[in-house]
């Protein structure tokens, strides 16, 4: 790696905000000998452009020892983030590769077939006459031979040990704050009728301890192996059989990883097993802090690493969870360049939203949302409901309050389509969402206000969470929730001249801020310190849905470009 190139590798024609300073500090951190540099960069700092500049410092072919690794990887856990990269002209030299299921076969009669179910995946010895034009293999070949290959974190981890995507000089991970949690998710074994093709031939017993899970996993591996041999004996597979073969291979690989790691006395990973419904039902086998898994899938894939996120809140804790030596890791803090008055937090707390108190608090939250709708009559709003149960209950309460005409929602099936439709529409509708705190860009008039209905604490019924709390890891618990809040707060303010209000409806959020204050980035702490309780109009359904008193678009634009005193959010204090 040659960090001295970092400024010239910046892809934009000019620097914005603190980008040049950040790049100089990143260069210094690498030149000091650090293997990993954490870049804590808030929303709007241009993380993707910083990432491209870092990746451009990777060793190139012909530079020095030819046996040394060259090139770079860019990876992110968020599919939407990769989509943004693909659509950015400044990042056109990043060669993007996706999983096979994202491509369709181009053979006659197969043009609606995904590449992972195409004849080459179904027929033994199939010689594809158009493989050189196959969209998947073409993209893979290009990415494998270009200086910067871009892919999702899932694909990156799946290709560990690949001959095509081997060791590179530099690895850049965007949105890296949840790296250890993503690794836990990828390493989790979900054994259920829908995920285990041989379920009927190998149903699990009651799992009361980890040794029970170990014994069942060993037996399941044997049964899967026998079924694999049967499929290998066929000359041609049907699409369902090809899917079964691939699932069996993945299952055998994952079971092998679990058993090897569990039986390795030097592994730092702790495993837990859940079977909430008893014998012959679904089992989840989950790792805690899978540092060894990360070494195999991530840390062994590059010489130098840059991890970027707005919410790497505690360097030492992050390093512990990811299996990194803090002494070989540097942290670069990028200041926030958005005016504080453009990204306010408002206290509209209505009580606690814990399960025991929800029935008492949720009606007050619904009424508060109606008041906010009346205050923002011609501006789109986003409600972070935290769970589908809360979203459904809240939607019904808002309907009973007479504002159904301005409310939209989604379920697990139409999530992406419903979001896209709401974003496309110019009407000032309010979108009741679940799990949209990250990877959502609502710049400008796409959304001007949002409500956090519940403090996003990890679910204590999850065995991994319960184990951590039993071990006294309460700082992790608060830090995880704070990270989600900070991510959510960044959805509606995306540029220095953008603005958007975030309203906190759960009083547990105020408590969270006090408990997690030591881990707050200074720029978010300033938002918390400025937070006050606003005066809002009455919960008038007519005003909330008809836009009484709404400003014209030309007036809104004029106020947006005016002074701070004339800021569109400033009147939240006096609208009684």
């Amino acid at each position: 790696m040659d960090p001295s190139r970092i400024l010239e590798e910046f892809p934009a024609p000019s620097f914005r905000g603190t980008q040049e300073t950040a790049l100089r500090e990143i260069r210094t951190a690498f030149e000091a000998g650090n293997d990993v540099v954490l870049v804590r960069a808030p929303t709007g700092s241009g993380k993707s452009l910083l990432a491209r500049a870092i990746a451009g410092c990777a060793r190139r072919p012909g530079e020095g020892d030819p046996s040394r690794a060259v090139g770079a990887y860019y990876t992110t856990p968020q599919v939407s983030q990769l989509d943004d990269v693909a659509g950015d002209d400044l990042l056109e030299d990043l060669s993007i590769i996706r999983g096979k299921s994202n491509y369709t076969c181009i053979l006659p009669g197969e043009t609606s077939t995904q590449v992972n179910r195409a004849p080459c995946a179904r027929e033994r010895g199939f010689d594809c006459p158009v493989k050189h034009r196959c969209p998947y293999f073409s993209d893979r070949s290009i990415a494998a031979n270009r200086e910067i290959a871009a892919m999702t974190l899932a694909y990156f981890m799946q290709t560990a040990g690949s001959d095509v995507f081997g060791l590179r000089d530099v690895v850049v991970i965007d949105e890296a704050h949840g790296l250890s949690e993503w690794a836990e998710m990828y390493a989790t074994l979900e054994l259920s009728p829908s995920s285990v093709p041989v379920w009927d031939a190998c149903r699990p017993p009651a799992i009361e301890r980890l040794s029970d899970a170990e014994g069942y996993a060993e037996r399941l591996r044997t049964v899967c192996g026998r079924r694999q041999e049967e499929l290998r004996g066929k000359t041609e597979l049907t699409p369902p059989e090809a899917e079964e073969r691939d699932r069996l291979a993945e299952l055998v690989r994952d079971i092998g990883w679990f058993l090897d790691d569990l039986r390795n006395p030097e592994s730092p990973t702790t495993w837990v097993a859940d079977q909430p419904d008893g014998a012959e039902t679904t089992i989840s086998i989950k790792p805690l802090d899978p540092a060894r898994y990360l070494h195999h899938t991530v840390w062994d894939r590059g010489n130098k690493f840059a991890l970027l996120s707005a919410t790497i809140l505690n360097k030492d804790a992050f390093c512990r969870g990811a299996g990194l030596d803090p002494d070989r890791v540097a942290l670069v803090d990028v200041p926030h360049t958005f005016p504080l008055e453009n990204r306010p937090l408002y206290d509209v707390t209505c009580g606690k939203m814990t399960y025991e108190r929800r029935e008492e608090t949720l009606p007050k939250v619904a009424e508060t949302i109606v008041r906010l709708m009346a205050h923002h009559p011609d501006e789109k709003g986003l409600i972070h409901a935290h769970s589908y149960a809360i979203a459904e209950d809240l939607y019904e309460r808002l309907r009973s309050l007479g504002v159904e005409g301005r409310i939209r929602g989604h379920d697990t099936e139409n999530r992406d389509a419903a979001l896209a439709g709401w974003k496309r529409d110019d009407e000032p509708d309010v979108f009741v969402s679940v799990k949209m705190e990250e990877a959502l860009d609502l710049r400008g008039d796409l959304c001007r206000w949002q409500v956090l209905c519940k403090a996003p604490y990890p679910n204590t019924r999850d065995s991994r969470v319960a184990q951590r709390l039993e071990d006294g890891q309460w700082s992790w618990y608060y830090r995880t929730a704070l990270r989600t809040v900070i991510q959510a707060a960044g959805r509606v303010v995306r540029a220095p001249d953008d603005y958007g209000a975030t309203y906190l409806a759960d009083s547990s959020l105020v408590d969270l801020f006090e408990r997690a204050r030591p881990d707050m980035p200074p720029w978010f702490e300033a938002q918390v310190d400025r937070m006050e309780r606003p005066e809002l109009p009455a919960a008038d359904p007519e005003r909330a849905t008809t836009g009484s008193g709404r400003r014209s678009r030309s007036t809104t634009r004029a106020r947006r470009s005016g002074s701070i005193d004339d800021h569109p959010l400033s009147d939240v204090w006096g609208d009684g």
Side-chain angles (χ1 to χ4, degrees):
M1 182 184 192
D2 182 3
S4 68
R5 292 202 303 256
I6 197 165
L7 293 177
E8 65 189 65
E9 288 292 330
F10 187 72
S14 61
F15 298 107
R16 176 168 53 83
T18 58
Q19 289 173 333
E20 183 176 6
T21 301
L23 290 174
R24 291 184 185 278
E25 292 184 10
I26 294 167
R27 181 183 67 189
T28 299
F30 277 119
E31 289 176 341
N34 293 288
D35 297 322
V36 181
V37 176
L38 310 181
V39 183
R40 187 160 60 187
T43 300
S45 53
K47 289 193 296 295
S48 296
L49 301 182
L50 299 179
R52 167 59 186 83
I54 298 167
C57 297
R59 180 188 297 273
R60 298 167 179 167
E63 292 182 345
D65 185 349
S67 66
R68 300 282 300 277
V70 299
Y73 289 114
Y74 169 89
T75 182
T76 173
Q78 303 290 355
V79 174
S80 60
Q81 184 74 16
L82 193 65
D83 292 340
D84 290 343
V85 168
D88 192 333
D89 292 340
L90 294 174
L91 303 173
E92 62 183 2
D93 61 343
L94 271 67
S95 297
I96 294 175
I97 174 65
R98 305 175 191 270
K100 286 184 178 180
S101 62
N102 294 279
Y103 299 85
T104 54
C105 182
I106 59 175
L107 283 170
E110 300 284 353
T111 53
S112 62
T113 304
Q114 295 172 329
V115 170
N116 61 328
R117 300 288 173 260
C120 61
R122 304 195 309 260
E123 300 177 27
R124 185 192 307 164
F126 181 79
D127 185 13
C128 180
V130 293
K131 183 174 181 179
H132 63 289
R133 292 193 290 112
C134 172
Y136 169 72
F137 287 103
S138 175
D139 277 3
R140 191 183 73 163
S141 177
I142 292 170
N145 290 284
R146 291 283 176 84
E147 290 188 11
I148 306 174
M151 59 196 70
T152 64
L153 186 62
Y155 188 86
F156 181 68
M157 288 181 164
Q158 289 166 7
T159 56
S162 162
D163 292 334
V164 178
F165 294 110
L167 179 71
R168 292 205 174 191
D169 189 36
V170 174
V171 177
V172 180
I173 304 178
D174 207 349
E175 301 297 341
H177 49 272
L179 185 59
S180 59
E181 287 88 346
W182 282 95
E184 286 180 4
M185 184 184 72
Y186 294 141
T188 292
L189 264 175
E190 291 286 349
L191 306 177
S192 69
S194 61
S195 66
V196 177
V198 295
W199 181 266
D200 288 337
C202 192
R203 293 176 180 267
I207 305 297
E208 298 179 356
R209 57 188 65 85
L210 193 58
S211 58
D212 297 332
E214 179 184 6
Y216 174 65
E218 189 65 79
R219 181 160 61 93
L220 180 59
R221 180 165 63 170
T222 300
V223 175
C224 286
R226 286 201 296 264
R227 177 56 179 159
Q228 282 182 301
E229 288 300 318
E230 292 176 13
L231 293 174
R232 290 191 188 109
K234 295 189 174 187
T235 303
E236 181 176 349
L237 301 179
T238 65
E241 287 174 332
E243 183 176 357
E244 180 184 2
R245 177 205 58 200
D246 293 345
R247 181 67 193 111
L248 286 167
E250 182 181 344
L251 191 57
V252 168
R253 182 196 67 201
D254 292 347
I255 290 173
W257 169 261
F258 159 62
L259 293 173
D260 290 347
D261 190 80
L262 180 68
R263 295 165 178 172
N264 182 353
E266 297 181 0
S267 173
T269 306
T270 298
W271 291 87
V272 294
D274 289 334
Q275 190 190 42
D277 298 322
E280 299 195 355
T281 64
T282 297
I283 304 169
S284 292
I285 304 174
K286 309 170 185 177
L288 293 177
D289 299 329
R292 185 165 170 259
Y293 180 82
L294 279 171
H295 272 283
H296 168 63
T297 58
V298 177
W299 308 131
D300 289 345
R301 308 284 299 281
N303 295 324
K304 298 289 184 179
F305 295 82
L307 312 183
L308 296 85
S309 172
T311 50
I312 297 176
L313 301 181
N314 182 296
K315 173 191 166 184
D316 288 347
F318 180 89
C319 290
R320 281 197 303 272
L324 294 171
D325 178 1
D327 292 337
R328 305 289 294 172
V329 177
L331 174 64
V332 172
D333 248 324
V334 180
H336 211 311
T337 59
F338 296 1
L340 184 58
E341 61 272 10
N342 285 19
R343 46 186 173 93
L345 301 176
Y346 293 128
D347 179 354
V348 294
T349 53
C350 306
K352 288 185 177 294
M353 280 288 288
T354 56
Y355 184 79
E356 296 78 12
R357 302 282 295 276
R358 193 172 301 164
E359 284 299 312
E360 173 189 346
T361 304
L362 200 55
K364 301 175 186 177
V365 173
E367 181 179 321
T368 297
I369 290 173
V370 175
R371 297 177 69 189
L372 289 168
M373 292 169 68
H375 179 68
H376 296 276
D378 58 355
E379 294 177 324
K380 288 185 174 184
L382 178 69
I383 311 300
H384 295 281
H386 185 71
S387 71
Y388 283 101
I390 294 175
E392 183 177 350
D393 195 341
L394 186 59
Y395 190 96
E396 291 302 316
R397 292 181 188 278
L398 291 170
R399 187 170 68 171
S400 69
L401 289 171
V403 296
E404 180 182 14
R406 199 180 158 193
I407 298 294
R408 298 195 188 195
H410 68 89
D411 56 29
T412 55
E413 299 298 323
N414 70 352
R415 173 187 174 91
D416 293 342
L419 174 63
W422 172 70
K423 290 172 67 176
R424 263 194 320 269
D425 203 321
D426 289 335
E427 292 299 313
D429 290 343
V430 178
F431 192 64
V432 181
S433 73
V434 178
K435 300 300 180 186
M436 292 192 181
E437 297 92 349
E438 295 189 36
L440 181 59
D441 185 343
L442 297 176
R443 66 182 62 228
D445 290 333
L446 286 176
C447 189
R448 291 298 183 190
W449 60 280
Q450 60 180 346
V451 180
L452 272 64
C453 289
K454 186 181 184 303
Y457 286 113
N459 186 354
T460 55
R461 293 191 295 273
D462 185 307
S463 56
R464 289 172 297 186
V465 177
Q467 183 65 52
R468 284 191 170 105
L469 296 185
E470 186 177 325
D471 293 341
Q473 297 183 37
W474 287 96
S475 294
W476 166 87
Y477 185 67
Y478 298 129
R479 192 163 49 244
T480 301
L482 175 64
R483 191 177 70 198
T484 303
V485 172
I486 295 175
Q487 287 286 338
R491 297 311 96 206
V492 298
V493 187
R494 309 295 298 178
D497 58 350
D498 200 0
Y499 61 88
T502 298
Y503 298 94
L504 311 180
D506 181 3
S507 58
S508 295
L509 286 161
V510 179
D511 178 64
L512 168 64
F513 290 161
E514 292 308 310
R515 293 179 182 273
R517 187 171 284 267
D519 289 319
M520 277 187 190
W523 53 266
F524 189 76
E525 188 172 19
Q527 287 178 254
V528 172
D529 289 341
R530 188 180 186 272
M531 181 172 65
E532 294 188 40
R533 193 169 187 91
E535 295 180 16
L536 295 172
D540 180 355
E542 182 175 358
R543 182 175 178 180
T545 55
T546 61
S548 174
R550 68 176 58 177
R551 299 184 293 270
S552 69
R553 289 186 182 275
S554 60
T555 304
T556 301
R557 282 196 298 269
R559 293 196 65 177
R560 188 182 310 150
S561 60
S563 67
I564 291 175
D565 291 337
D566 200 28
H567 193 278
L569 293 176
S570 63
D571 62 351
V572 76
W573 305 111
D575 198 349

